[in-house]
Amino acid sequence: MCRNIRQLHNFAPPATAAEIEAAATQFVRKVGGGAPSKANEAAYARAIDEVSATVSRLLEEMVTSAPPKDRETEAAKAKARSQARFSRSA
């Protein structure tokens, strides 16, 4: 749905509250059609808080047998994929 929302599960160190809130904000804005108007700011803020709380609970409860991923390694892989994708001639 939203390409900018990144996977937050199974990383070392774990996702921060700021990362969770950023993902929640992107999700709510996508569902709501963009940045809120003044009339809808309170509804957006409430939804972001609720989504953040739900995601935090989800991440705490999820289990996996896979070793945690390294953020720097995953970022390097993403950069390499991006370079390969955008360096192609049209």
Side-chain angles (χ1 to χ4, degrees):
M1 177 178 182
C2 191
R3 292 182 190 182
N4 293 332
I5 297 176
R6 302 290 179 223
Q7 178 179 339
L8 299 176
H9 174 61
N10 199 29
F11 276 98
T16 64
E19 290 173 316
I20 292 170
E21 185 174 339
T25 299
Q26 290 177 348
F27 175 75
V28 170
R29 285 186 173 185
K30 183 71 171 189
V31 170
S37 65
K38 292 287 184 192
N40 293 322
E41 281 181 346
Y44 269 62
R46 198 168 34 258
I48 290 168
D49 289 344
E50 292 172 5
V51 170
S52 293
T54 301
V55 169
S56 293
R57 274 193 313 277
L58 173 67
L59 292 174
E60 288 172 9
E61 294 175 6
M62 289 179 72
V63 294
T64 182
S65 59
K69 298 175 193 163
D70 178 64
R71 290 179 184 276
E72 292 178 11
T73 303
E74 294 302 314
K77 288 180 188 176
K79 186 175 182 178
R81 283 191 306 268
S82 178
Q83 285 178 340
R85 178 178 176 202
F86 293 110
S87 67
R88 295 179 191 156
S89 322

